[in-house]
């Protein structure tokens, strides 16, 4: 898979930039991922679908398989 790392600007702007170039999914690492806001969401990321604009938390260990099934 091709990936693009972006840490510039607010998250909404990052999403819009990626939407413009056609990136199908966005994965966000945030304070919850790092366990800085409690342990409940540690080792999870936010996965955003460009087409539906839906997003949800996904365990990092399950992310690759989930993306592979969605792009296949």
């Amino acid at each position: 898979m091709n990936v693009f790392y972006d840490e510039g600007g607010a998250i909404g702007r990052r999403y819009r930039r990626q939407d413009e170039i056609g990136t199908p999914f966005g994965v966000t690492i945030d304070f919850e991922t790092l366990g800085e806001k409690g342990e409940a969401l540690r080792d999870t990321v936010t996965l955003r679908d460009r087409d539906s604009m839906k997003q949800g938390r996904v365990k990092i260990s399950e992310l690759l398989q989930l993306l592979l099934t969605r792009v296949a």
Side-chain angles (χ1 to χ4, degrees):
M1 284 184 232
N2 291 323
V3 298
F4 179 81
Y5 177 76
D6 185 358
E7 64 178 53
I11 190 68
R13 288 184 184 155
R14 290 182 227 171
Y15 283 148
R16 283 190 298 278
R17 276 197 301 265
Q18 294 306 309
D19 289 348
E20 287 177 13
I21 62 173
T23 305
F25 301 102
V27 177
T28 304
I29 297 170
D30 53 21
F31 294 113
E32 284 84 3
T33 302
L34 303 175
E36 295 179 15
K37 289 191 173 183
E39 295 293 315
L41 298 175
R42 185 182 179 100
D43 298 326
T44 65
V45 293
T46 301
L47 178 63
R48 178 180 180 270
D49 183 293
R50 177 199 64 212
D51 296 336
S52 69
M53 297 186 122
K54 291 183 180 178
Q55 57 186 32
R57 300 298 290 194
V58 177
K59 291 182 181 181
I60 294 173
S61 61
E62 298 171 2
L63 180 62
L64 178 60
Q65 186 59 40
L66 181 62
L67 287 173
L68 288 173
T69 59
R70 290 189 180 183
V71 297

